[in-house]
Amino acid sequence: MRRKALAFDHFLHLNVGKCSNFGSGVIFEYNGSALVAMVGKNCFAIASDRRLGVQLQTIATDFQKIYRIHHTLFIGLAGLATDTQTLYQRLVFRHKLYHLREERDMKPETFASLVSAVLYEKRFGPYFCQPVIAGLGDDDKPFICTMDSIGAKELAKDFVVAGTASESLYGACESMFKPDMEAEELFETISQALISSVDRDCLSGWGGHVYLVTPTEVTERILKGRMD
Amino acid sequence: MTRFEESAPVKGGFSFDLCKRNEMLVQKGLKPSSYLKTGTTIVGLVFRDGVILGADTRATEGPIVADKNCEKIHYMAPNIYCCGAGTAADTEAVTDMVSSQLKLHRFHTGRDSRVVTALTLLKSHLFSYQGHVSAALVLGGVDVTGPHLHTIYPHGSTDTLPFATMGSGSLAAMAIFESKYREGLTRDEGVKLVAEAISSGIFNDLGSGSNVDVCVITKGNREYLRNYMLPNLRTYVSEKGYSFSKKTEVLMTKITPLRELVEVNEGGDAMEE
């Protein structure tokens, strides 16, 4: 927690200091991230890298990018770190209100529509975030989807990727993915796809964080990766 | 207090509160983000008994294919469908919104929706945003007045045509239509022509690809043929797949059980009455 406070102090300093420009970089490459979610047999896995950086400088190596909405629904947020945290707080607020009114948790499909609506509302001044949503729906059927920064949903039956390492992730997942994998094999596949893709991206890395969700348990693992 | 109100569900429409911050970021040298576009080939034609709509299934994010099998033919009413090209979020949002408005209108009037109603709702929304809502649509349906096919441009202008194409692959598809279209086509001929036009877009335009979706609307009936043709199946798929002999190194594992294990007490004391 202490390190997170340092991260945002630094961000403020960058804005008020004389060298407060973003270079010719794209806003999505300011902090760096890699996110991937994959579907298995009655289970799913969602993984992210752990780096928080300010362009080419690394600020934290334990930054959380995957957030839990309820016990079988996770959202990973890639893009500008400040927007991801604000967006997560807004979404958790909306889900809590929903839970109070409906007396049950939101289904993943409903949550995806909510995220899409929240993002499209800001169509002409968007949040610089790309969400990856993964959850277990009715009959423990896994559901994954991703969106661009203005809420265009992309439902997939196999895998979804987001972040600065997304181009490498597309390639790695396309070749490593097999349909109907069991939990342990799914974990192995998603970890290998994540680690190999972030090794080819300067802005993401410093290990991996994988959540593997089956109908009976949630397994959270930290992966060892290259620290460069 | 103000911040709390901002987070609560708003009454609808766009909110512009991040615009000033985003403008500041752009001035500091940041390029705005790229959105998911549907490069696209979308077509429609009027045949003897109704309307046939067709679309490819590729969604792109810059030069990368983000979705290999997305749905571009959107439902508007049981007798009206709409194909969308342009920014994916805009086409989805605008067709969903008009579809809801049409449903309310059906409840209000007690009649089936007409294609011109959908047309007017779409064009007035797009015109009021002066082209910033980047959605180019091909709207088709059959109502009491007969079959109708319209194209709607992002700035709000519309055309009524017997055959139409939109999107980056529209020239490739229009070439097929201009040479082979004639009035009074049968259903099979119409579907074959639409599939051929979309295939022409898929193979000749880089922004379109993957599969062909077709939707046939006739009086009182519609058939949504999702993935009607799959001309781009993956070749050379390895039977073995990938297997990892060396396992990934894990630093920490935390398992949270979702269902609590209930303790069963066999042969315990009976409850006292």
Side-chain angles (χ1 to χ4, degrees), chain A residues 124-150:
Chain A
F124 299 114
Y127 287 114
F128 296 118
C129 295
Q130 250 193 306
V132 164
I133 297 164
L136 283 179
D138 291 332
D139 299 325
D140 295 331
K141 193 163 175 295
F143 169 88
I144 52 170
C145 93
T146 185
M147 282 165 219
D148 68 350
S149 58
I150 47 173

Side-chain angles (χ1 to χ4, degrees), chain B residues 115 141-148:
Chain B
V115 183
V142 179
D143 55 30
V144 286
T145 51
H148 297 277

Side-chain angles (χ1 to χ4, degrees), chain B residues 102-111:
Chain B
L102 284 177
K103 181 130 202 206
L104 286 170
H105 193 249
R106 280 203 292 283
F107 282 132
H108 199 72
T109 57
R111 294 188 173 106

